[in-house]
Amino acid sequence: DTRQSKRLFPLFSAGGILGTVLGGLLTQPLARWLHSENLLLVWAGTLFIAFLLSRAIIGRSVIAIGSSSRTKQPSIFVEMQRGYKFVRQSSIMQWVSYSAILFSVCYFSLALPFSRGATTQFPDADQLAGFLGLFQSITTIVALIASLFFANRLFARFGIMPMLLLFPIIYFVGFGILSLSAPFTILVSVRFMQMMWMQGIAGTAWQALFNVVPFEQRDQVRTFISGVPEQAGTFIAGLILVVGEQALNPQQLYLIGLAAAALLVYILWRASRAYANALVEALRAGQPQMFISEEEPFGGFHTDAATVSAAIKGMNDLDKT
């Protein structure tokens, strides 16, 4: 039931995080032992074990569903269309859509130069695999610590939107530094801050934004934003990097990322202004509880500062209708 799932799902997520950490730590010794090309065999083996475990969970029984109880589920395109209609009418979700495009542009504008820099720094494939595995493991550990011990306190003290707004500021500062000087150590440091904040703080804040959307339309809006704006941003980033690699030097590419990050800061600042109004509208629509307030494993959500101020504003509003 719902109460059990609230306690079980964080444990499942913790298992995934633990697997990421262990996989990262084991990559380096495995690469030295088996060589990097044979890591694909390890990957295939773990996937096969996961398949066997999944089969054990599902079992061999097949639940027969009568034809009278079957209901036709709408296609993903219909769901995306419904999500688009809601986004078109919602100020906050319009800004979220714009930010999704630029988040993808900023992400790949940093991820691909980082991959190229790591390849240049570690020309040996085994050493490269070991470095990337260790980097991923350390980043995940720090992000987990930030998520468990700092995220709730930051959300309660400052609110969801300010913590999300810090993410493009990290991009902006990082691209600004890299456009001036881009040694590999600085590139690694910027990448580490970006990944740590994204996994530990910003990812949670991003998902919390959708709580202002009515429950029955929330998944549709998520489907649209993930399927259209985010993918459009990925395409734009790839196009910029492919063309830029032929005509621009790395510093000029970082300047493009800097401009995208600056625009993203502005868009999220506008989104933060629309967020309070969206909370008030949700309260008036009979959706008084934006976040889970009961104690949960891994902290759950504490009271959000922006939610409290929006509730007070709504209660003091002279328009009681």
Side-chain angles (χ1 to χ4, degrees):
D1 56 26
T2 303
R3 182 175 296 274
Q4 292 170 330
S5 68
K6 291 177 181 179
R7 287 159 174 76
L8 286 174
F9 289 169
L11 296 179
F12 300 155
S13 299
I17 293 170
L18 178 62
T20 302
V21 173
L22 291 178
L25 294 176
L26 290 173
T27 299
Q28 193 171 48
L30 285 174
R32 284 199 300 261
W33 177 38
L34 300 173
H35 300 297
S36 59
E37 63 272 16
N38 292 321
L39 292 179
L40 291 174
L41 299 177
V42 178
W43 186 26
T46 55
L47 286 175
F48 181 70
I49 294 173
F51 168 76
L52 295 178
L53 293 174
S54 301
R55 288 291 300 172
I57 293 172
I58 297 173
R60 296 179 178 273
S61 60
V62 178
I63 301 176
I65 303 177
S67 58
S68 60
S69 63
R70 292 176 181 172
T71 58
K72 184 178 180 181
Q73 298 296 326
S75 67
I76 187 173
F77 299 104
V78 173
E79 295 288 349
M80 290 176 66
Q81 288 176 353
R82 293 174 179 174
Y84 168 71
K85 291 179 181 179
F86 183 89
V87 169
R88 190 174 58 182
Q89 299 171 354
S90 170
S91 175
I92 177 66
M93 287 298 118
Q94 289 180 19
W95 291 115
V96 169
S97 297
Y98 302 148
S99 66
I101 298 175
L102 290 172
F103 268 130
S104 294
V105 172
C106 289
Y107 180 87
F108 288 102
S109 296
L110 184 59
L112 297 183
F114 172 77
S115 299
R116 287 202 303 263
T119 304
T120 303
Q121 188 73 17
F122 300 97
D124 181 75
D126 297 344
Q127 293 181 355
L128 176 63
F131 165 75
L132 293 176
L134 183 63
F135 178 83
Q136 180 67 40
S137 180
I138 294 174
T139 303
T140 304
I141 291 174
V142 177
L144 176 62
I145 293 173
S147 178
L148 293 180
F149 299 106
F150 297 102
N152 289 331
R153 291 178 173 85
L154 291 172
F155 294 152
R157 177 65 180 85
F158 300 104
I160 294 293
M161 290 304 301
M163 293 301 97
L164 184 59
L165 183 59
L166 274 178
F167 193 28
I169 292 176
I170 291 174
Y171 274 123
F172 181 80
V173 174
F175 282 125
I177 295 173
L178 291 171
S179 63
L180 299 175
S181 177
F184 185 65
T185 52
I186 294 181
L187 185 57
V188 170
S189 300
V190 174
R191 176 67 168 169
F192 173 80
M193 283 298 302
Q194 174 240 346
M195 292 297 294
M196 183 278 295
W197 196 265
M198 181 180 72
Q199 296 177 2
I201 307 293
T204 303
W206 175 262
Q207 295 301 326
L209 274 179
F210 293 94
N211 287 339
V212 300
V213 179
F215 177 78
E216 61 274 7
Q217 296 171 298
R218 196 171 298 163
D219 288 339
Q220 298 169 353
V221 172
R222 278 199 182 105
T223 301
F224 168 76
I225 291 179
S226 298
V228 180
E230 288 184 10
Q231 302 310 314
T234 302
F235 173 79
I236 293 171
L239 186 62
I240 291 173
L241 292 170
V242 168
V243 175
E245 194 170 10
Q246 305 296 325
L248 303 174
N249 59 47
Q251 276 68 32
Q252 290 173 321
L253 289 175
Y254 290 136
L255 288 174
I256 294 175
L258 181 67
L263 182 57
L264 182 55
V265 170
Y266 170 76
I267 287 176
L268 281 183
W269 174 73
R270 291 294 304 269
S272 65
R273 300 184 65 179
Y275 180 65
N277 293 330
L279 289 172
V280 172
E281 292 174 2
L283 292 170
R284 289 177 173 173
Q287 188 182 350
Q289 186 168 315
M290 299 297 120
F291 308 104
I292 300 168
S293 58
E294 65 178 309
E295 184 178 354
E296 289 189 347
F298 297 92
F301 279 111
H302 287 238
T303 302
D304 178 79
T307 309
V308 174
S309 62
I312 295 174
K313 178 182 176 182
M315 289 186 292
N316 293 332
D317 198 323
L318 296 178
D319 181 12
K320 301 300 183 182
T321 60

